[in-house]
């Protein structure tokens, strides 16, 4: 090998050593584009828009109710928090320390998923239902939300994706888990920050993203670890809070 090639080889080897693994992984993430497969939001004066308005108006009476408080809780998307929201559904309290791979996956997906949803929202530029109205919402960031668009619901997309991951890892609890995923999305209607059709699109969005992720090698590998961690966590987990589970069960009986 020519002497002048040695420094270049050394640089390349060192470069490989210091490539952050999370950057390589991020490049492997492929998420479907909802701008192509989601239906457009309801047109003005359409029956679908009328149903959206009715759902928004009917849910205003829930302010300060137990359902309202659950919706306030569901507004927090931090990975540690959102997985705890599914404790009743999985049948035991999920501790972040017991499922490090799940937390890592959610952290890894956060930016790519947020970017994709932002692209989708900018495409349709739908205003949120509370904008221009003097009615309460169940989150403190009204100004920030007013400046962002509504369709599709990012919270619902996230919630449905998390539900899909947990359901795949714990198939024997899939009914309860997906029910909680639905309630999680409907919390955005209760909060008054999303239209009903925004939430419905979020379910479709999250489902499409999970379907795409399942065949990606890095994700499939992580799912094996997530399954093992959840099975191990179940054996030593604390029992669920029955009061919280009752509230979630009541919420699942409602319709919007």
């Amino acid at each position: 090998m020519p002497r002048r090639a040695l420094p270049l080889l050394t640089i390349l080897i060192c470069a490989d050593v210091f490539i952050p693994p999370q950057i390589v992984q991020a490049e492997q993430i492929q998420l479907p584009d909802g701008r192509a497969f989601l239906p457009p939001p309801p047109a003005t004066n359409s029956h679908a828009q009328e149903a959206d308005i009715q759902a928004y108006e009917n849910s205003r009476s829930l302010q300060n109710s137990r359902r309202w408080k659950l919706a306030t809780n569901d507004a927090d998307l931090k990975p540690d928090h959102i997985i705890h929201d599914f404790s009743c559904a999985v049948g035991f309290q999920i501790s972040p320390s017991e499922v490090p791979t799940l937390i890592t996956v959610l952290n890894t997906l956060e930016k790519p998923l947020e970017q994709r949803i932002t692209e989708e929202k900018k495409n349709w530029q739908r205003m949120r239902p509370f904008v221009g109205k003097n009615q309460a919402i169940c989150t403190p960031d009204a100004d920030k939300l007013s400046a962002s668009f509504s369709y599709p619901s990012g919270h619902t997309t996230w919630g449905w994706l998390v539900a899909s991951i947990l359901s795949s890892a714990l198939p024997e609890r899939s009914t309860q888990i997906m029910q909680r995923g639905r309630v999680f999305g409907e919390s955005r209607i209760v909060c008054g920050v999303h239209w009903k059709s925004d939430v419905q699109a979020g379910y479709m969005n999250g489902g499409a993203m999970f379907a795409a992720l399942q065949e990606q090698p890095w994700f499939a590998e992580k799912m094996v670890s997530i399954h093992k961690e959840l099975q191990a966590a179940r054996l030593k987990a604390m029992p669920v809070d029955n009061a919280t589970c009752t509230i979630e069960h009541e919420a699942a009986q409602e319709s919007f």
Side-chain angles (χ1 to χ4, degrees), residues 57-200:
E57 292 179 347
N58 289 347
S59 60
R60 296 310 87 216
S61 63
L62 294 172
Q63 185 176 355
N64 298 324
S65 67
R66 300 208 309 181
R67 183 65 181 91
W68 181 272
K69 293 177 182 177
L70 178 61
T72 302
N73 169 82
D74 289 350
D76 190 337
L77 284 182
K78 291 190 292 293
D80 288 11
H81 188 92
I82 194 171
I83 64 168
H84 186 267
D85 286 342
F86 283 87
S87 291
C88 290
V90 302
F92 59 91
Q93 287 195 35
I94 308 178
S95 172
S97 63
E98 301 293 338
V99 287
T101 305
L102 177 57
I103 297 297
T104 297
V105 167
L106 295 183
N107 284 329
T108 300
L109 288 172
E110 181 179 7
K111 287 187 178 180
L113 192 145
E114 183 178 1
Q115 180 179 349
R116 176 64 79 201
I117 293 172
T118 298
E119 293 169 348
E120 294 166 353
K121 289 186 175 185
K122 286 183 177 179
N123 180 64
W124 284 294
Q125 300 186 16
R126 190 186 198 191
M127 300 303 295
R128 294 180 182 269
F130 72 89
V131 173
K133 302 179 180 67
N134 187 26
Q135 292 176 304
I137 61 174
C138 71
T139 60
D141 48 358
D143 292 340
K144 180 180 178 181
L145 288 174
S146 297
S148 67
F149 298 115
S150 188
Y151 184 93
S153 168
H155 270 70
T156 304
T157 300
W158 259 113
W160 199 253
L161 178 58
V162 173
S164 298
I165 291 172
L166 292 172
S167 182
S168 180
L170 296 170
E172 68 278 12
R173 299 289 297 183
S174 59
T175 298
Q176 296 89 335
I177 291 168
M178 299 314 297
Q179 182 187 74
R180 183 64 176 98
R182 173 177 67 82
V183 169
F184 190 90
E186 289 174 345
S187 285
R188 305 308 282 168
I189 302 172
V190 174
C191 275
V193 295
H194 275 292
W195 301 103
K196 177 179 180 178
S197 57
D198 300 340
V199 170
Q200 292 171 333

Side-chain angles (χ1 to χ4, degrees), residues 33-41 120 124 151-152 200-205 208:
D33 191 343
R35 292 173 292 184
F37 70 81
L38 290 176
E120 294 166 353
W124 284 294
Y151 184 93
Q200 292 171 333
Y203 296 143
M204 188 185 301
N205 215 22

